[in-house]
């Protein structure tokens, strides 16, 4: 992944559409996850939009997102918590819809990102649920 793309991932606002809504930022802790979703020690934010960071028509992105949703529902160890929206504050990238998923191992989360041709996913783990970028291409 080139440095500009990595910078875009790091500058994105990852909004979790929960009650209350949360805005996750890379490098920052999101302790409210413990209160909203007690009992989980890790979460990932994953999308199927814009595979390999190629801007894709909205209809294709929606179909890919539906496939991801079905895949998540079929995973016995995954807990689908909420929908998410990744928003680029510079507006160079369109919003990307995705999902907050709990109870996956880091390896399973990376494999899911790879399965849907993503360069990276967002990972949050106890004790502080500090958001980090996990590069799927290196797995």
């Amino acid at each position: 992944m080139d440095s500009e793309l990595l910078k875009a991932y790091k500058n994105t606002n990852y909004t979790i559409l929960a009650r209350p809504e949360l805005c996750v930022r890379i490098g920052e802790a999101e302790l409210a996850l413990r209160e909203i979703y007690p009992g989980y020690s890790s979460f990932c934010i994953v999308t199927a939009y814009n595979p390999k960071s190629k801007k894709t028509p909205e209809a294709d992105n929606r179909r890919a997102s539906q496939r991801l949703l079905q895949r998540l529902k079929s995973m016995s160890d995954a807990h689908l918590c909420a929908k998410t929206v990744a928003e680029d504050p510079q507006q160079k990238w369109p919003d990307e819809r995705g999902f907050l998923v709990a109870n996956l191992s880091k390896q399973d989360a990376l494999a899911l990102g790879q399965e849907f041709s993503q360069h990276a996913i967002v990972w949050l783990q106890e004790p502080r649920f500090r958001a980090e970028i996990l590069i799927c291409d290196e797995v």
Side-chain angles (χ1 to χ4, degrees):
M1 177 184 318
D2 69 42
S3 61
E4 284 300 309
L5 186 55
L6 184 58
K7 183 179 176 183
Y9 273 102
K10 289 180 177 179
N11 290 330
T12 295
N13 296 317
Y14 299 92
T15 302
I16 298 170
L17 303 175
R19 290 182 192 216
E21 272 189 10
L22 303 174
C23 183
V24 172
R25 303 269 311 154
I26 302 304
E28 297 178 10
E30 190 48 77
L31 295 174
L33 285 171
R34 185 178 296 128
E35 297 169 21
I36 297 171
Y37 303 107
Y40 296 111
S41 61
S42 64
F43 298 89
C44 70
I45 296 174
V46 63
T47 184
Y49 271 51
N50 301 317
K52 294 297 181 194
S53 299
K54 292 183 180 149
K55 292 181 183 175
T56 303
E58 182 66 20
D60 293 345
N61 280 329
R62 286 180 191 250
R63 281 190 291 277
S65 190
Q66 274 302 115
R67 286 192 306 275
L68 173 57
L69 178 59
Q70 292 309 311
R71 176 73 172 101
L72 291 169
K73 287 179 177 180
S74 76
M75 298 173 74
S76 60
D77 51 346
H79 179 81
L80 181 58
C81 297
K83 293 179 180 180
T84 63
V85 179
E87 302 161 308
D88 175 10
Q90 307 246 326
Q91 298 183 341
K92 292 180 181 176
W93 286 94
D95 291 353
E96 293 186 353
R97 306 236 171 236
F99 303 96
L100 176 70
V101 183
N103 214 33
L104 289 179
S105 69
K106 189 182 276 191
Q107 287 298 27
D108 286 345
L110 283 166
L112 190 62
Q114 282 185 322
E115 183 179 337
F116 286 86
S117 301
Q118 297 300 303
H119 281 301
I121 60 170
V122 177
W123 181 254
L124 303 108
Q125 186 171 349
E126 284 207 310
R128 296 181 33 94
F129 295 112
R130 187 180 147 280
E132 63 180 293
I133 294 291
L134 295 184
I135 307 298
C136 299
D137 295 343
E138 295 175 358
V139 176

